[in-house]
Amino acid sequence: MIKVAIVDDHKVLTDGLKTLIEESGIAKVVCLWHTASDCRAAIGSCKPDLLLLDVGLPDMSGVDFCKELKQRYPDLKIMVLTTHNEYSVVRQMLENGASGYLVKNAMTEEVLAGIGAVANGNIFLCHEVDVLMKQPKERQLWLSQRESEILKLVAEGLTNGEIADRIFLSPETIKSYRKNLLLKLDAKNTAMLVRIALEQKLI
């Protein structure tokens, strides 16, 4: 029986996922957390074989958390389960030690197949991500209308607070958008983000 832990802040999803896994007969959920900090504090005593990890956690980036966990627990198998299906995010998660990648609209069979494969030491990409990773990199980038709008304002040098005032969203929401833009464009900081955006004619 594979011991699975989950860290994801969407309670409805995690409840459904727990039921799905436990009814499968191949695995059981031994721990469930909604933040990276809760996971960090308890994973040492929980000792799962495999961790299902979201990219968009409320208290830190799942990309960074994946790297931290693999450094602390090299034998821990990590499978990403997220809404993010951008080339740069997938690549960073795999580089940081993830062995599997599922998008949240994956079929039940794919979720269970992924858990089995990763627990046995294999790499598993759901069909959608597998197709994505085989395409030329320059075709991967797609920004929503809101992301494009925020990217333009970032390029103008506005702070999160100023952008929030301009488009009537909270500074925390803008911070989240900015973090996602850095991930999507594979940029380490705002200056690099703007440079890449100009080079790729996104602004």
Side-chain angles (χ1 to χ4, degrees):
M1 190 72 81
I2 302 161
K3 293 187 291 181
V4 176
I6 304 170
V7 55
D8 191 303
D9 64 331
H10 298 94
K11 191 172 186 306
V12 173
L13 181 132
T14 53
D15 288 349
L17 196 56
K18 185 173 189 286
T19 302
L20 165 72
I21 290 168
E22 301 209 321
E23 288 179 351
S24 72
I26 67 162
K28 61 178 180 178
V29 176
V30 291
C31 290
L32 176 58
W33 305 286
H34 298 299
T35 65
S37 57
D38 287 347
C39 173
R40 184 186 291 116
I43 195 167
S45 55
C46 176
K47 295 186 173 64
D49 302 312
L50 182 147
L51 177 69
L52 287 172
L53 172 65
D54 192 6
V55 173
L57 298 172
D59 52 343
M60 76 177 290
S61 160
V63 176
D64 297 333
F65 193 44
C66 180
K67 186 174 185 178
E68 175 191 323
L69 287 171
K70 286 299 288 186
Q71 287 172 343
R72 286 179 63 193
Y73 307 102
D75 294 334
L76 176 66
K77 304 289 193 301
I78 297 177
M79 184 156 70
V80 183
L81 182 64
T82 184
T83 54
H84 288 273
N85 61 351
E86 296 84 25
Y87 180 96
S88 60
V89 180
V90 177
R91 186 176 57 75
Q92 285 180 73
M93 289 302 277
L94 294 175
E95 285 178 357
N96 284 357
S99 300
Y101 205 104
L102 289 165
V103 288
K104 285 184 177 174
N105 62 358
M107 302 292 286
T108 300
E109 294 80 7
E110 278 195 304
V111 175
L112 297 177
I115 289 171
V118 170
N120 284 320
N122 299 310
I123 298 291
F124 183 90
L125 303 178
C126 68
H127 177 71
E128 181 181 326
V129 170
D130 190 41
V131 170
L132 174 82
M133 299 307 283
K134 287 172 180 171
Q135 292 173 359
K137 186 180 176 184
E138 59 270 16
R139 293 185 192 168
Q140 305 313 318
L141 201 57
W142 179 86
L143 299 181
S144 68
Q145 190 174 344
R146 180 66 88 185
E147 285 172 330
S148 296
E149 181 183 18
I150 290 170
L151 184 56
K152 288 188 181 77
L153 295 171
V154 168
E156 288 175 21
L158 274 64
T159 64
N160 290 348
E162 289 166 341
I163 295 172
D165 290 343
R166 180 82 65 90
I167 60 175
F168 309 108
L169 291 173
S170 74
E172 277 303 308
T173 300
I174 301 301
K175 184 180 175 184
S176 177
Y177 268 111
R178 191 188 282 252
K179 194 158 50 174
N180 283 341
L181 284 166
L182 287 167
L183 270 175
K184 277 192 174 188
L185 273 69
D186 201 9
K188 292 182 172 59
N189 52 47
T190 300
M192 192 174 171
L193 178 73
V194 174
R195 181 172 60 75
I196 293 169
L198 288 167
E199 285 174 356
Q200 299 199 18
K201 298 181 170 57
L202 297 170
I203 52 177

